[in-house]
Amino acid sequence: MEKKLKIKELAEYYNKRYELTNYDRYINKNSYDNAINTLLVEITRIIKGTNIGEKIFWDTIKPEKGARAVSVEDFEKQCFKEWIGYLQKNYESCKDNTNFMQDKQKNHIYDSEDEYWEDRVQSFTKNNDSFYENGGNDDLNEELLNGFPDNMVLSEDTIKRAYEAMLEALYDVFYEPFKWDMLKYDSEHKPTDNSYGTKYTREQIESNDRLLDYKNYIGKRKV
């Protein structure tokens, strides 16, 4: 689990990562503190203005004891687009920062449609090459296959895939992403031998029990 940072620590993290200010925290303490407080105030405003389903993000990061804290991963998942917009407007230098550009790409935030498709082509090509580098042979990589077989001519196949897409769309309205990785893990690690004297592991039984209930794999309800 990623470490959670207090709001001030989060502000200091981004200040250092994107080189937003050049004040030394010891030599120019007052200027440094003012710069961090400016970032802290904006991060707080963004978190307070972000809803997750029926809850305010600000309320979800308050522990039973101590100050509010949030991981970089969770903050970027919920707030990064607005945070990036603020930084680009108020910190011109960040646009030339390598970490800033990498984080935008990682969080799929682009300044133009051309920029999006350029990254998409690079990612697609990289995934395809990786597939073959790791043992793929005659099979297409899963992303390229995309659920539609080559030379598909039967209308039943098209209709079946269309219904699958509609079901996925309905799911996306009500729930966070499906836990495919966990389902794959459990399917591969469930007990497969029930002969007398078989020695089972805790991991096998946990996988077996999770597979008994679909609710273990659906994401959190959005509404």
Side-chain angles (χ1 to χ4, degrees):
M1 180 179 295
E2 189 175 355
K3 178 183 177 181
K4 292 188 177 182
L5 305 176
K6 296 177 182 178
I7 307 302
K8 183 177 181 180
E9 292 174 330
L10 190 62
E12 291 177 326
Y13 165 81
Y14 283 115
N15 179 63
K16 180 178 181 180
R17 181 165 178 77
Y18 301 153
E19 301 175 310
L20 300 176
T21 64
N22 57 6
Y23 298 118
D24 185 283
R25 65 187 306 169
Y26 302 108
I27 299 175
N28 306 105
K29 186 177 185 308
N30 288 337
S31 296
Y32 176 83
D33 288 344
N34 288 336
I36 295 300
N37 285 335
T38 298
L39 296 173
L40 183 154
V41 168
E42 186 59 26
I43 291 174
T44 299
R45 183 193 68 79
I46 291 174
I47 294 178
K48 285 183 175 180
T50 300
N51 294 327
I52 303 178
E54 297 179 352
K55 295 183 178 180
I56 299 174
F57 189 31
W58 180 254
D59 294 336
T60 69
I61 64 172
K62 179 69 170 72
E64 292 184 5
K65 296 182 180 179
R68 285 178 171 79
V70 61
S71 68
V72 172
E73 180 182 11
D74 285 344
F75 174 73
E76 293 188 357
K77 178 181 178 181
Q78 303 297 336
C79 306
F80 202 62
K81 186 173 183 179
E82 186 171 356
W83 176 231
I84 283 293
Y86 167 79
L87 293 179
Q88 290 186 145
K89 181 179 179 180
N90 294 277
Y91 295 86
E92 187 69 26
S93 63
C94 71
K95 299 176 183 179
D96 297 321
N97 182 276
T98 301
N99 289 331
F100 182 80
M101 300 305 297
Q102 288 177 345
D103 288 352
K104 283 183 62 179
Q105 187 176 47
K106 179 185 69 176
N107 288 280
H108 308 295
I109 295 175
Y110 306 95
D111 295 329
S112 67
E113 186 175 358
D114 287 341
E115 187 177 304
Y116 165 78
W117 285 113
E118 180 181 346
D119 179 58
R120 184 75 182 94
V121 169
Q122 291 177 359
S123 174
F124 195 100
T125 303
K126 180 179 179 181
N127 290 340
N128 185 69
D129 291 346
S130 177
F131 171 78
Y132 288 105
E133 289 169 0
N134 288 285
N137 39 48
D138 294 333
D139 296 325
L140 291 171
N141 93 55
E142 293 182 6
E143 188 175 22
L144 185 59
L145 186 59
N146 68 34
F148 290 93
D150 288 346
N151 303 317
M152 183 177 65
V153 295
L154 297 178
S155 61
E156 300 94 287
D157 294 335
T158 305
I159 294 172
K160 179 182 177 182
R161 181 63 186 115
Y163 277 126
E164 291 174 354
M166 286 187 276
L167 183 60
E168 291 171 2
L170 286 172
Y171 177 91
D172 189 57
V173 170
F174 296 103
Y175 296 96
E176 296 293 335
F178 189 83
K179 300 174 184 176
W180 291 108
D181 289 343
M182 181 182 290
L183 178 60
K184 182 176 185 295
Y185 175 90
D186 289 343
S187 298
E188 294 173 347
H189 292 82
K190 66 181 180 179
T192 56
D193 185 353
N194 61 348
S195 60
Y196 179 79
T198 299
K199 301 295 184 181
Y200 298 110
T201 66
R202 171 179 171 175
E203 288 75 14
Q204 286 179 303
I205 304 306
E206 287 178 342
S207 291
N208 180 80
D209 290 357
R210 279 195 295 266
L211 287 165
L212 296 176
D213 191 342
Y214 72 90
K215 290 192 290 293
N216 290 315
Y217 304 102
I218 63 174
K220 292 182 179 180
R221 191 174 176 85
K222 292 181 179 179
V223 294

